[in-house]
Amino acid sequence: MTHFQPKQHKFIQTVKQLVPLSKRTSAILAAGLGLSVLVPVYAAFSASTNPSGQQVSHLLSETLRERRRAPRRELADQKTQLISQGGKNVEITLVSYAVTKVAYDKIIPQFVAKWKREKGQNVVIRESFGGSGSQARAVIDGLDADVVALALAQDITKIQSAGLIKPGWERKAPNNAIVTHSVVALETRQNNPKKIQTWSDLAKPGVKVITANPKTSGGARWNFLALWGAIAQTGGNEAKALNFVTQVYRNVAVLPKDAREASDVFYKKGQGDVLINYENEVILAAQRGETTPFYVVPQTNISIDAPVAVVDKNVDKHNTRAVSEAFVKFLYTPEAQREFAKVGFRPVNSAVAKEVQSKFPKISKLYTVQNLGGWATAQKKFFDDGGVFDKIQGGRR
């Protein structure tokens, strides 16, 4: 499932030059119609050198009406299909971030079987995976998610601010709606030739660090907060934290836009001595044979907490609240938590955490984003325009 909005400015300008538009039609174009609407309009008048604005406006209106009918026809087709299957199907859409897909490939069939067994109803779960921030924007822009499971609580808060999720969503699921944990790992070259063991090694002269840009990457924000907390959460003041993080970023040659691109820079392009990464990403990549698993987990670390929520406005519109809430609840069961653990996530279920504790290095001092003021405070302080990260970058130029 892909959700995007093509860039259309140049095409719209071409249409404006070729077709004199009425004020109403110009307003419609300004609202950002897709190419699929504009092409029929242009084609209809391509043989005419000077159609009137009224003609164009009329055809645009007809095209818009036809486009609005299409989803209704598609929905009617879906309803017909469901009726033909005995009316025992329900469909929901899960929107999550990319690295969770392997776990959900195992979790979803288990939930579907459980729901069928207990309710006698078939569940179809459609899935969409991508960068957490991009997924949040897609949902805000109209991707019809029933459940969102993202990498940052801040991303779900953005969806709430758009009016799609009711306030207090954190209290509607177990564990304050956090469904998995991870920590930050330092991934090195084979046999760790630079002898990187902990955070302080990243600031040493000659160590080339790879991390994504925290202005564009949610994962990179976790990396930044881990660096800051390495000082601020171990007795250092803010001046010392700023000095340390500044030194580390002086060793960062490039800032890829997201975690996936950062991994490509490190592995495929061979740049850097150390990649700052999610522990679960490192474990999963090693399982797939994509990397050699040379990495260390610093003993002072931040808990990377990934939340889940029901999208209230959509489930009420789809009449899917019961199954959506049941799916969220299922994610906390031992069955689901074991699947998360298999692909590198630290489980939030205490029983499963005990089962797999030998798989994960122990952390001496583990703190959360709440220890740094929470996401709203951290975003404003560190990542908004003019914040700490911008000042660090300004000092590098």
Side-chain angles (χ1 to χ4, degrees), residues 93-111:
T93 298
L94 166 69
V95 172
S96 189
Y97 58 110
V99 74
T100 63
K101 184 180 186 304
V102 179
Y104 282 115
D105 283 348
K106 301 293 185 180
I107 292 169
I108 287 174
Q110 293 181 44
F111 172 76

Side-chain angles (χ1 to χ4, degrees), residues 95-100 130-133 135-136 148-156 178 180 218-219 222 278 303-308 345 375:
V95 172
S96 189
Y97 58 110
V99 74
T100 63
S132 183
Q135 293 291 75
V148 287
L150 301 177
L152 306 175
Q154 181 192 27
D155 287 335
I156 295 185
I178 301 303
T180 60
W222 285 114
Y278 288 172
S303 181
I304 299 173
D305 297 335
V308 63
F345 290 100
W375 270 115

